Amino acid sequence: MSDPPTRPGLREALAAFRYRNYTLFWVGALLSNSGSWIQNVTVPYVVFHLTGSAFWVGFAGFVQFLPVVVVGPLGGSIADRFPRRRVLLVTQSAQAAAAAVLAVVWAAGVRQVWVIVGLVALSGLVGGINIPSWQAFVSELVPREALLNAVTLNSTQFNAARAFGPALGGLVLGTAGPGWAFLANAASFLAVIGALLAIDVPSSWRGRVGGAGVRREFARTLRYVRGYPGILACLVIVTALGALGSPVFQLLVVFADDVFGVGGVAYGLLAAALGVGSVLAAPLVAGPGSGIARSVLVTAAVVVYGIAITAFALAPVYLLGLLALVVAGGGYLALASTLNTTIQVQVDEDMRGKVLALYIMLLTASLPVGALVQGSLAHLVGPRLTVAAAGIAFLLICGWLRAGTGWVARMDEEGAVAPRAGRAR
């Protein structure tokens, strides 16, 4: 009789770190994303204190993410046509330059909200080209058997930055001011640029150099995903997440000032709580959680996240709101990593960049709309009622998707095409 299978442990949870390229990318991304979250927590703070308006906070989120939607098809096409490492070096350098300009503008004493928002939109435009290559690049750094773990650890890295960056941003805001926060973000790009230069990937590139135009390729992508119900489920859920579940981040500054009556450091802790929860949940998702069916994991994550953000909206005191956001962060990690993993394992390699671009487009299209709508509603009826209603609507939509279609169950299927293999150390 054979021995019973052992449950995955810490070694399995960190399997992707056996690959040098992935480790370099992960560390560089952690430092760079921490800087980005410092800016993400600083921009709403600056906008709210310049205008005193929740609507303006929502509008700033709208223009930050809208450019990503506009250039999403182009970014996906680029990710499948050109070496992704080279694309990332260009886009990361451009984003570093945009962040440096924002720091210089603030240091020069410019306090017009339109200038701040415009520079944020410019950075978002470059980010729209960057993100598909960023997501698809992971498949070049590890072999297929480590891909699920690599995607989860990549989500963990992003959320670890979401924990560290806002906390540091709140500290910098409370002591040195926004200018230093913007400068820290600009400097943080050096980490990921250095990592990309040190990564050793094959020089040959098998992506297509020619082909149809961007619009025709986008139409082809839409036709392609209709044949994959599991991917369709991911696209619907991520759209609901962007429109209903994620705008709470833009509204945290309104909760800090108008609901809980706390200052910059406490506001930074609210923003960091989501990342803290993600980091705490990472061992469960990357290790034992990797043995759970994706359809089950995503259902549980939706319930946890939806209930947690509703509880945050209704929390009577700051501490309870902080704890609710920690729980929400754990649900967010499980949800985001499962959706991303499902797409990565089901998509064909020659469609990877374009399908990931569509996924990112839906998230980033729903984010600005959700931020604008929820910012406007928060201005009219208050942030508590707005976020609570959004949390309940998120649960209802995802509950319908689970009960009313067979798509969620199809998330457990595996794709047939293996990505490039990475080299173990």
Side-chain angles (χ1 to χ4, degrees), residues 246-287:
S246 295
V248 64
F249 183 83
Q250 274 76 31
L251 294 174
L252 288 180
V253 65
V254 183
F255 275 89
D257 272 34
D258 293 352
V259 176
F260 299 127
V262 296
V265 174
Y267 160 57
L269 291 177
L270 282 178
L274 290 165
V276 169
S278 297
V279 173
L280 293 176
L284 296 176
V285 178

Side-chain angles (χ1 to χ4, degrees), residues 57 76 127 157 189 268 311 317 350 399 413:
V57 174
Q157 166 269 123
F189 282 97
V317 296
D350 66 335
E413 297 176 351

Side-chain angles (χ1 to χ4, degrees), residues 26 33 43 47 78 98 102 111 125 131 169 174 183 198 232 255 295 301 319 342-343 354 376 382 395 407:
W26 193 94
N33 281 331
V43 169
V47 169
I78 289 173
L102 185 56
R111 298 296 183 268
L125 190 67
I131 295 173
L183 184 61
L232 285 174
F255 275 89
S295 61
L319 181 59
T342 299
I343 292 177
K354 290 183 283 292
S376 301
L395 288 170
W407 295 354

Side-chain angles (χ1 to χ4, degrees), residues 365-386:
S366 56
L367 269 171
V369 174
L372 187 62
V373 171
Q374 290 193 39
S376 301
L377 290 175
H379 184 72
L380 295 174
V381 303
R384 285 190 183 275
L385 181 59
T386 298

Side-chain angles (χ1 to χ4, degrees), residues 40 77 93 120 122 127 132 161 248 277 285 395 399:
N40 287 346
S77 180
S93 299
V120 169
L122 177 62
V248 64
V285 178
L395 288 170

Side-chain angles (χ1 to χ4, degrees), residues 52-244:
S53 169
F55 168 80
W56 267 102
V57 174
F59 182 75
F62 178 81
V63 300
Q64 177 181 0
F65 295 110
L66 183 63
V68 180
V69 181
V70 175
V71 300
L74 176 61
S77 180
I78 289 173
D80 286 334
R81 291 188 178 201
F82 301 100
R84 292 162 186 157
R85 175 174 170 270
R86 188 179 304 166
V87 173
L88 291 175
L89 282 169
V90 173
T91 55
Q92 291 294 307
S93 299
Q95 286 183 291
V101 170
L102 185 56
V104 170
V105 163
W106 187 267
V110 177
R111 298 296 183 268
Q112 284 76 26
V113 67
W114 276 104
V115 175
I116 304 300
V117 169
L119 288 171
V120 169
L122 177 62
S123 180
L125 190 67
V126 180
I129 299 174
N130 171 83
I131 295 173
S133 293
W134 183 282
Q135 294 287 341
F137 190 51
V138 174
S139 70
E140 298 182 40
L141 305 178
V142 297
R144 181 178 179 80
E145 60 269 19
L147 181 59
L148 276 68
N149 180 255
V151 170
T152 300
L153 289 175
N154 202 41
S155 295
T156 303
Q157 166 269 123
F158 178 81
N159 285 285
R162 185 183 237 183
F164 176 70
L168 181 59
L171 181 62
V172 173
L173 283 172
T175 56
W180 285 99
F182 293 141
L183 184 61
N185 178 41
S188 72
F189 282 97
L190 297 176
V192 73
I193 292 172
L196 288 167
L197 290 172
I199 285 173
D200 178 23
V201 291
S203 57
S204 59
W205 174 247
R206 294 178 293 178
R208 293 183 301 110
V209 178
V214 172
R215 285 186 295 178
R216 290 182 63 185
E217 288 193 339
F218 183 64
R220 178 189 173 211
T221 304
L222 294 177
R223 292 192 299 271
Y224 175 85
V225 300
R226 286 203 296 266
Y228 291 81
I231 295 179
L232 285 174
C234 295
L235 299 180
V236 174
I237 293 172
V238 81
T239 302
L241 178 64
L244 299 169

Side-chain angles (χ1 to χ4, degrees), residues 323-336:
L323 293 175
L325 288 177
V326 171
V327 176
Y332 187 93
L333 173 71
L335 185 56

